[in-house]
Amino acid sequence: MRAVYAQSQSDGDPLSGLVVGELPASQPEPGFRRVRVVASALNRHDLWSLRGVGLPADRLPMILGCDGAGVDDEGNDVIIHSVVSSPGWEGDETLDPRRTLLSERYPGTMASEVWVPERNLVPKPSQLSFEEAACLPTAWLTAYRMLFTVSPAAPGSTVLVQGSGGGVATALISLASTAGYRVWVAGRNPDKLEHARRLGAEAVFEAGARLPERVDAVFDSVGEATWSHSLKALKPGGALVTCGATSGPNPPADLNRIFFLQLKVLGSTMGTKAELQRLIGFLLATGVRPEIDSVLPLEEAAKGFRRLHEGEATGKIVFRH
């Protein structure tokens, strides 16, 4: 079957291990169902896999892709929830220490078909296109959980989003502004900052800029490069919600600031199937839709990977199968 996969890994040149080609069809696990993929979406997780992070070399070649939407063997349009919990796990699957994402232990969504646990399938409403639906399970679900489950800041609060162009950042801006938050955005690219305004940001600032006032919560997926600014941006008692560390995982802790101002540092990872279903309901109720940077045929996946790797994308890159 046609697939986009990691053949090898390189931290310095991750795209060198990317292949668009033919692989044998995946063999199903017990309790898994087949989905014929119509659209898949690219995430930074796929670049990390090509760097050798989170994907052991002994599992190569591995089909990439956490996100997808398609049609199951019964003809149902479905969205794939990519967090796979261990057998017998009950409750919040993101807290399962043995959880995995598609493309880590099991083949991912960037292929003609994918096998997933039956419990991981969510009906796709007709109001969402396959391309829009494919954007939801990673970046948009991560943003939804950060904003509505993990963060203590309520609608009406002022929040800062670090970064202006990535999938999580654009999702946060869209979701938060629609839900009644006052959204500020900090970033490095002027064009992407202006785009953040069009998505609903009230104000935008250069990365690291002094803000007019402190905020109730900061949403940070960048890590080392923005950590100090994120902490300094918070009101006493405010919360920093982090879901990633693309610029590095070990910033100075600044513990004096954290304990003296009673700041909260909250981690957030992906989301649950129930949260994915609520996210879909939110989109249907509000009319908000994922920001799509570009749609490419699966055969041109390398172009999309390069665009993400070079920081050119604003919103999600989607592959049509």
Side-chain angles (χ1 to χ4, degrees), residues 58 61 106 166:
D58 61 7
Y106 306 107

Side-chain angles (χ1 to χ4, degrees), residues 6 57 80 125 238 267 280 282 297 311:
I80 299 166
I280 294 168
F282 184 94

